[in-house]
């Protein structure tokens, strides 16, 4: 049976309900990098952990992330109309955990500086991208946010590795780059 045959059979059974726990477990088998999405409004730094980040276009340079529609942080990012994507290094799992918490001071003990657009960039991140909001699209219980990259930083040692998330746990790349 080919992949298209499987897709056709799946399409004919539209009454199937996907169990949310099974869906989450299946998606957990896709390794992803970890980012912190940040902005600043009225001198208040804002940020949250995000693993649903990806590139969209090279020309113009566009990236995207998804965020819960009920997010506390995202309305402030929308208000600022700009954000930074802080791509975390393998040594920053504690940063990811801290920014994933609700109701806590996410910035406690975090060293950061402002980007050229005025977004907080977290020190020792693998890289950061400075973005302006380009578009926003509702998608189920999330929003898909597209940002146009206006600046970036690549000043990190070549041996630094990304922080990855796989099957509910942090990890990193094994061995050398090829």
């Amino acid at each position: 049976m080919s992949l298209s045959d499987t897709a056709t059979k799946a399409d004919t059974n539209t009454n199937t309900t996907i169990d949310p726990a099974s869906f989450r477990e299946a998606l957990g088998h896709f390794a992803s990098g970890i980012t912190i999405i940040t902005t600043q409004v009225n001198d208040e730094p804002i940020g949250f952990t995000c693993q649903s980040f990806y590139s969209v276009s090279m020309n113009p340079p566009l990236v995207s992330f998804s965020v819960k529609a009920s997010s506390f942080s995202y309305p402030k990012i929308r208000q600022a109309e700009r954000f930074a994507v802080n791509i975390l290094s393998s040594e920053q799992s504690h940063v990811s955990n801290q920014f994933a918490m609700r109701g806590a001071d996410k910035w406690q003990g975090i060293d950061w500086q402002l980007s050229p657009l005025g977004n907080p960039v977290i020190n020792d991140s693998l890289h950061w991208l400075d973005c302006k909001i380009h578009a926003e699209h509702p998608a189920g219980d999330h929003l898909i946010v597209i940002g146009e990259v206006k600046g970036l930083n690549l000043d990190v040692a070549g041996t630094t590795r990304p922080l990855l998330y796989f099957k509910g746990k942090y990890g990193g790349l094994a061995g050398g780059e090829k």
Side-chain angles (χ1 to χ4, degrees):
M1 180 181 309
S2 72
L3 186 57
S4 61
D5 292 338
T6 303
T8 301
K9 285 186 178 187
D11 290 342
T12 60
N13 191 6
T14 57
N15 294 331
T16 303
T17 301
I18 302 296
D19 172 55
S22 298
F23 184 55
R24 182 180 209 116
E25 181 180 342
L27 295 178
H29 285 79
F30 179 73
S32 62
I34 301 292
T35 66
I36 305 294
I37 307 296
T38 60
T39 198
Q40 183 166 281
V41 177
N42 300 326
D43 295 327
E44 177 190 5
I46 308 296
F48 65 91
T49 300
C50 180
Q51 76 180 83
S52 58
F53 166 77
Y54 55 94
S55 64
V56 174
S57 169
M58 297 297 284
N59 189 17
L62 300 175
V63 294
S64 182
F65 68 88
S66 295
V67 61
K68 281 187 177 181
S70 62
S71 166
F72 173 79
S73 301
Y74 184 67
K76 294 180 180 188
I77 294 171
R78 181 189 293 129
Q79 176 187 345
E81 299 179 347
R82 59 179 163 65
F83 62 91
V85 179
N86 296 267
I87 301 170
L88 298 187
S89 74
S90 60
E91 292 88 33
Q92 293 180 299
S93 60
H94 67 285
V95 175
S96 174
N97 287 334
Q98 190 163 322
F99 278 83
M101 295 188 312
R102 285 195 147 184
D105 180 2
K106 296 179 181 185
W107 295 92
Q108 178 73 34
I110 301 294
D111 293 327
W112 59 278
Q113 55 194 314
L114 287 177
S115 72
L117 288 181
N119 297 308
V121 292
I122 298 169
N123 292 356
D124 300 323
S125 292
L126 192 60
H127 296 299
W128 55 262
L129 307 169
D130 222 5
C131 305
K132 293 259 188 186
I133 293 178
H134 179 77
E136 179 184 293
H137 305 283
D141 60 359
H142 277 63
L143 299 170
I144 298 170
V145 181
I146 299 173
E148 183 170 359
V149 179
K150 296 296 189 176
L152 52 84
N153 178 32
L154 298 176
D155 293 336
V156 175
T159 59
T160 305
R161 301 203 182 273
L163 180 62
L164 300 179
Y165 197 70
F166 178 67
K167 293 171 65 174
K169 296 180 183 170
Y170 294 115
L173 295 174
E177 294 180 22
K178 294 185 178 190

